[in-house]
Amino acid sequence: FRRMAQNKSYAAEIALKVHNRILDEASCAAMFNSLAALSCEEEPSDMFLLWYCWSRSPDRQLPFWALPRADASLFTLALNGVGNLPFVERCRPIGAGLAVLAKFLVAPEALPLGVYNTLAHQAPWVHSDQSSSIEVQTLLLGQEDCEEYPPYCLRWHARALPATLRDRLLRKCQEGIGPLDDVNAHHFYPRVIAGVSEQMFRLNLGLLLSLQKDNESLQLYFDHGAESQRNFVAACIMCWFKAAGFAFEELRSCVKAGSREQFTSLWSEFHAAFRKTGPLSLRRMYIRGPLPNFLDVRWVDEGTVDVPILARTRDSALLTAQWLNMLIVHFGLQDLEPFTPEDLVRVSESRGGGLLAGPRFEGALKIVSRAVGNALHRDLAAETKTPSMVVPLSEDKYDTLKLVTKLAVLTDFIALLRATPSSLGKFFTELVVALAGASEKGPKPSQVHFAAFFDACFLLQGLTSDNEGLEMEELMSAYHANQLPVSLQTVEEIRWLHENYYGRRDKTTGKVVSRLERFATICERLTRIRGSPIQTVEFRRHFTQTIFVGDFLGEANVSVEPPYLQQLHFQLMCDCVPRSISAAGEVLGPSVERGDAPEAPESVFKLPRDEPFFTANGGDGGGFLSAGNGAQRQWERPEVIEVGWPDRSPVVSCPDVVEIDAHTSLYLHAVVRVRPGLQPILWCMGESDGCYRLNGLSGQQRHKDGDICKAFATNAEAWQYMDRAQGAVVALDGCYLRKADDGASWVVVFPTSRPPDDASVSMGNLSLRARRFCMWPLCHSHRLVNLGVNTEALQVIKLVVWIAWHMCQSEASGEGGVGEVNVPPVVVPIDVDEPLQKLSALSNHVEQSLATQMFPEGDETLIAAMQQLHRYQQCEKHLAEVLLRILSKMKGQQRDDLGGLIRTESHRRAATIKAPFANAGGAELTSLGRTLQRLLVPIVSKAGILGSPATTEAWTQLELALEVCYRGEQLPRERCFAKHMQITKSTFANRGVAVLQSIYRSQC
């Protein structure tokens, strides 16, 4: 190839065609590894080949030296010309697994600002004709010209969200946000440093609505400074909204109808306060509590923040590798090889596919921490000659804006380390040892530079009710161990927060005691921080070239669009219209709303106009995208027409027509493929409501026990028919495809479970049941895969979940006497969304922590969560026993006194735990008891209990769910929940496990 490339007439377009024809996935992977290992460009043609191979697997880290600094034409051609698919289409199936450089190209809105700007300086052409970097401005909040404390500033940057993401977020929050009445949800600290997500958006807008003058909690927190502090909090939130590109009317549309006038009044009131001058000007007032000093408006996908780093799971390895590579890029760690998920975890062949620590797992944090410390030591030492990050002004004043900006990328990484025990202390210990550079030769940072670094970390981490000062305690301990100095001014700011906000000095004992009970932990930690014998040095922080926040918010025409919204060379992944099947013609796209995707700009790569997009290419006559050698194919989607499905949410079993294949996967995903085939038939499966089976020619002889609904010419036509059904569920061999709420895309669901012989989740004397023996997961899964749970039976199950959750909450809070519980009444139809969310979060936290932590016994939060789950399971089991006795006596003894049975069985074990269906005397039913009676009446009457012991579907399903919960074991009758399966649930789950293992083992 190199010899061919030396020919001057051998253009890049010709090379692209050659690559597309002769290189498959495995060849590209081998070629990429070989070229990336060279660490430099040996031949000009090698770079084009390296870019091409990387575009086939953008989950790998492209060497930083391979990113072109100027000329972009060949680079974009190599990436966008793979198989006639734009680069963004190849990135879509990988999602969160994209490499840092790939994210910079197609998902820059998700990168931390520091990482984005680092890459933008290396390749300024990517998103703009001039410069792709985003400038940072310094806004003054208060304490201007104050002798005791430095001016309090907020670092702001314009980074509006792409319209697709912003509009989707606004739709989700439409008329759904009101004031946050629970002060414990925010402590008047705006969450503006954790990116933009639905959760952060709701919290900040709700907090803004809570900043009323008559809010008594403001006085409790800030005493006589409550009025000025609420304006400062509002300023931080309003600047955050402005940076993300949200206008007033858009925010107002998300406020509940009853609070809109209040929101409008507050908005005007805050702007009026910012415009005040003279003694009432906010710019000279003191800050009365902790506030953030920078904003982060990158987009954060919900769910990714819950994955811990440095844990032995695949998700954790993926996230950890991402972050370690971000630090390598940001701090320019040239001597450190980028990390891959395989460096951190590996598959054990001897343990049936389990995960073990990878070759670089144990020392990853130490190596990167040391490397970051060495880089900072080098940079700060260079400051003694040419200051740029710590610029001296006058009278011990220094401008450290650039240093703070450089260290900002560590904030999120440090926050993630909190979830992994002992990692935080290890990080600061190794970083400060390298920063001190006792063994390093050459120039060293001055005492002022060490103090500046500590002060910058203090600004970024802060002392808040969320972090409780943990990071600053670890940093202070590392500084003390290495005998490094800190700033006198920083020590004074810590003292003020300790004695004036979080605590008060007792005049009799001289000790600082916590003002509020919720501040006890941070107050004790601040006492230890201040008690450390540490050197101090004169250093005063002072940011120059600031803009008063009132003047800034008053400007109406401030541009907030970042350079990457131009989509100059690459289309953003969030704006890319999803394809129903893509990535080698077979991967189903993720859930993206079609109305969210605008048309691609003309600069984005497109197919030539004279080339037909769909051509006939395939064994079963379906429409495919022709891509040279036929490796890339795309299903043709005909115009959507009304499909007369007999059921709105059908369940279609079609393992012979649709399959999952992970053998050729290059990433951590598999392909969903419609098999080639002719003349499939859709059968209605007997008496199973809403259940169908789709068979090809080979499977029609085995399944004739039903009515024919529809026949198709090809499997492709059958898939297109199913693809237009609303709420459809497609049962494959070991998994489901569930139609997403947008009605256009699909979600893969694996109904896997723990093997029956697996040990229970336990720690010490606490032991938890597996989820399959609880009732609450059924409320989740019944709709997810259309299990056909009877509506009447489901209402009773939800009632049990509601009562059990509030019973365990009542026990935890100590409300009521012995055996008494306080359960709020419930309205039919019963809504258990909140208990389900909390139970799911608790279960995920417990199972994940026990699987990843080496010493979980020392985690008090984990122990409390296990105790709460244990109480819930005991309450659920007791309620299941009560209802089982009621049903058993009605069926066995032909009892017709339903109310009497409920009263009797509710008091059977009243000495230990009381079911809240009857009052203390047992004479009358409570509100919950009457609700239970009302829900059981239709089930009992339809089952014909008065005449015979015959039962109905509702009775059978309810009895089964209660019996599984009470006995804690799997029952043979459990198949009644899944009549659309032609195999047992255990076999189905085992096949799902096999599919998942094949995905995890997929190698390039």
Side-chain angles (χ1 to χ4, degrees), residues 340-370:
T340 65
E342 291 75 18
D343 291 334
L344 304 175
V345 296
R346 59 185 177 88
V347 177
S348 172
E349 299 296 339
S350 60
R351 297 187 180 182
L355 294 178
L356 300 176
R360 302 176 70 185
F361 177 82
E362 295 296 337
L365 181 61
K366 179 178 179 180
I367 292 172
V368 174
S369 302
R370 285 269 179 140

Side-chain angles (χ1 to χ4, degrees), residues 242-426:
K242 188 168 187 174
F246 292 105
F248 168 75
E249 289 299 332
E250 293 175 329
L251 298 175
R252 191 173 183 274
S253 69
C254 297
V255 177
K256 292 181 179 179
S259 302
R260 288 190 175 179
E261 290 187 8
Q262 169 190 339
F263 176 70
T264 304
S265 176
L266 271 176
W267 192 270
S268 301
E269 179 185 333
F270 289 134
H271 276 278
F274 299 149
R275 290 193 297 267
K276 290 181 180 179
T277 58
L280 298 179
S281 174
L282 289 173
R283 64 195 309 158
R284 289 181 173 81
M285 291 189 178
Y286 285 94
I287 307 296
R288 297 292 178 174
L291 285 177
N293 71 91
F294 71 99
L295 301 179
D296 184 359
V297 288
R298 62 189 167 91
W299 177 255
V300 178
D301 285 321
E302 299 281 6
T304 57
V305 293
D306 298 328
V307 179
I309 63 173
L310 297 171
R312 295 181 186 180
T313 65
R314 279 204 172 267
D315 288 342
S316 177
L318 189 65
L319 182 65
T320 304
Q322 289 273 333
W323 268 103
L324 295 181
N325 290 335
M326 285 184 189
L327 297 182
I328 291 174
V329 174
H330 182 67
F331 289 100
L333 310 180
Q334 302 293 342
D335 298 332
L336 201 57
E337 288 293 325
F339 286 82
T340 65
E342 291 75 18
D343 291 334
L344 304 175
V345 296
R346 59 185 177 88
V347 177
S348 172
E349 299 296 339
S350 60
R351 297 187 180 182
L355 294 178
L356 300 176
R360 302 176 70 185
F361 177 82
E362 295 296 337
L365 181 61
K366 179 178 179 180
I367 292 172
V368 174
S369 302
R370 285 269 179 140
V372 171
N374 287 330
L376 289 171
H377 175 89
R378 179 194 64 233
D379 294 343
L380 290 177
E383 289 284 306
T384 57
K385 294 182 178 180
T386 55
S388 61
M389 294 189 297
V390 183
V391 181
L393 300 175
S394 62
E395 299 179 1
D396 297 325
K397 291 183 179 180
Y398 296 85
D399 187 347
T400 58
L401 177 62
K402 290 187 177 180
L403 176 62
V404 174
T405 303
K406 186 178 185 66
L407 298 180
V409 74
L410 291 175
T411 305
D412 289 328
F413 182 70
I414 291 172
L416 289 171
L417 288 176
R418 290 175 61 94
T420 308
S422 74
S423 294
L424 197 61
K426 183 185 298 185

